[in-house]
């Protein structure tokens, strides 16, 4: 069973990145029953990154962050997307098997356009590149947030069209979603995303973390009154860090009254700070040991490249690339 995921190096990692993508992959990695493939999707980041120095720096920092959060290069194949050039070749070949209507129905693209993003080809064809990422390595499962399920389904549709024409060449992937944490709410209650400016960053310093948690939108219920936890943005973020008993205890605090939302935000601040304490120390170590990080990425890229080269040799022959 091969499981694959990628995350864009589009800036500082936030809780949405961690709980919807990184943590599930690390948990699967540590179970040891699957072949884990994890990459930094720097080609995908070009849809929004226009500063070359910033993208390169973000890519390195993302590698440091992933390692600090628990990706183990001894257990997982870990590399930077652009180190395996076959993914772009497959992207182009798959484009000839991708109906326009399939991409026009992509929810993520329509959502971005509705929010004012430029209508460019890279954003429109994003699902095809994602399909190449998935199919190149014969991925069986792709852990994603709920909003990304459709992209995995598109990859599956493209694979089916190719296979129907040429035989069973590509493995048909399945999306894997944890329904409890598929969409992590941001400080405004919408999906947490850097694009929306509503994130709580994993490696934020104490001052920044306090500012970000302080921005969480709440209602105007008076301090002394009981409060509803079910639809509270603070609670819905805090519960990600709590087991069942911890969640029940926090619910009782809401229902009892006598505490304002400022108290709950301070509690969330403590949860985030303590949970990522060790990861922050490891992050600083990797930032100051670039050679070590580069070595890890190089080893992962060689393994991924070996698999990609074999797959593309077969694909080239099938489609007639001389």
């Amino acid at each position: 069973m091969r499981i694959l995921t990628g995350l864009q190096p589009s800036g500082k990692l936030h809780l949405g990145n961690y709980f919807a993508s990184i943590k599930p992959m690390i948990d699967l990695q540590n179970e040891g029953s699957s072949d884990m493939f994890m990459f930094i999707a720097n080609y995908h980041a070009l849809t929004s990154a226009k500063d070359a120095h910033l993208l390169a720096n973000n890519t390195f920092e993302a590698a440091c962050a992933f390692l600090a959060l628990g990706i183990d290069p001894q257990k997982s194949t870990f590399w930077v997307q652009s180190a395996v050039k076959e993914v772009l070749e497959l992207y182009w070949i798959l484009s000839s098997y991708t109906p326009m209507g399939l991409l026009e129905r992509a929810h993520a693209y329509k959502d971005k356009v509705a929010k004012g993003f430029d209508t460019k080809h890279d954003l429109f064809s994003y699902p095809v590149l994602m399909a190449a990422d998935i199919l190149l390595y014969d991925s069986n499962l792709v852990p994603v947030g709920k909003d990304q399920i459709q992209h995995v389904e598109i990859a599956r549709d493209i694979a089916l069209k190719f296979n129907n024409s040429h035989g069973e060449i590509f493995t048909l992937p399945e999306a894997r979603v944890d329904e409890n944490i598929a969409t992590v709410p941001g400080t405004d209650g919408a999906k947490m995303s850097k694009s929306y400016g509503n994130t709580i960053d994993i490696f934020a310093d104490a001052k920044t973390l306090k500012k970000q948690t302080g921005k969480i939108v709440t209602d105007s219920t008076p301090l002394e009154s009981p409060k509803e936890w079910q639809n509270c943005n603070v609670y819905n973020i805090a519960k990600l860090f709590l087991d069942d008993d911890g969640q029940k205890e926090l619910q009782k605090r809401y229902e009892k009254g006598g505490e304002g939302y400022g108290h709950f935000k301070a509690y969330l601040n403590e949860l985030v700070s303590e949970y990522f304490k060790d990861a922050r120390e490891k992050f600083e170590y990797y930032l100051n040991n670039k050679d070590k990080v580069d070595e890890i990425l190089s080893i992962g890229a060689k393994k991924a490249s070996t698999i990609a080269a074999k797959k593309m040799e077969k694909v080239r022959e099938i489609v007639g690339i001389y």
Side-chain angles (χ1 to χ4, degrees), residues 39-40 43 49 68 122 131 149 156 172 200 228 238 270-271 308 311:
F39 67 94
I40 301 172
Y43 280 142
D122 60 352
I149 293 175
R156 186 182 177 90
L172 301 183
I200 296 176
E228 291 188 1
E270 294 174 6
L271 288 174
K311 175 63 69 175

Side-chain angles (χ1 to χ4, degrees), residues 9 15 26 63 93 98 138 145 151 163 192 216 226 236 261-262 266 280 287 309:
L15 301 186
I26 292 170
I93 291 172
T98 307
D138 286 324
H151 283 167
N163 289 352
M192 188 174 289
I216 298 175
N236 286 329
Y261 288 112
R280 283 195 295 273
L287 285 176

Side-chain angles (χ1 to χ4, degrees), residues 158-171:
I158 295 172
L160 280 169
K161 288 183 179 297
F162 192 96
N163 289 352
N164 286 339
S165 297
H166 305 292
E168 298 301 312
I169 306 302
F170 293 120
T171 298

Side-chain angles (χ1 to χ4, degrees), residues 84-233:
V84 181
K85 303 302 181 184
E86 285 88 350
V87 72
L88 291 183
E89 183 180 4
L90 182 57
Y91 158 69
W92 183 248
I93 291 172
L94 293 180
S95 293
S96 65
Y97 293 82
T98 307
M100 286 289 288
L102 190 62
L103 300 182
E104 288 169 346
R105 292 192 295 272
H107 303 313
Y109 173 73
K110 291 188 284 188
D111 182 58
K112 293 283 189 182
V113 172
K115 287 180 166 56
F117 283 71
D118 292 336
T119 54
K120 300 177 298 178
H121 176 265
D122 60 352
L123 193 62
F124 182 72
S125 64
Y126 184 106
V128 186
L129 181 55
M130 185 169 170
D133 291 321
I134 295 168
L135 301 178
L136 185 59
Y137 304 105
D138 286 324
S139 310
N140 302 105
L141 288 179
V142 185
V144 291
K146 191 175 295 184
D147 62 315
Q148 288 285 318
I149 293 175
Q150 188 186 37
H151 283 167
V152 180
E153 292 173 344
I154 289 173
R156 186 182 177 90
D157 288 344
I158 295 172
L160 280 169
K161 288 183 179 297
F162 192 96
N163 289 352
N164 286 339
S165 297
H166 305 292
E168 298 301 312
I169 306 302
F170 293 120
T171 298
L172 301 183
E174 297 282 352
R176 175 169 177 155
V177 180
D178 186 329
E179 292 295 336
N180 294 320
I181 57 174
T183 300
V184 177
T187 56
D188 58 356
K191 176 198 171 188
M192 188 174 289
S193 170
K194 286 181 282 287
S195 301
Y196 306 152
N198 63 355
T199 63
I200 296 176
D201 299 332
I202 294 171
F203 298 110
D205 58 43
K207 182 178 179 181
T208 302
L209 178 60
K210 183 177 181 180
K211 181 178 180 181
Q212 290 178 337
T213 55
K215 287 171 58 179
I216 298 175
V217 176
T218 56
D219 61 36
S220 57
T221 304
L223 183 148
E224 66 277 5
S225 300
K227 296 165 183 65
E228 291 188 1
W229 50 267
Q230 291 88 341
N231 297 312
C232 176
N233 296 326

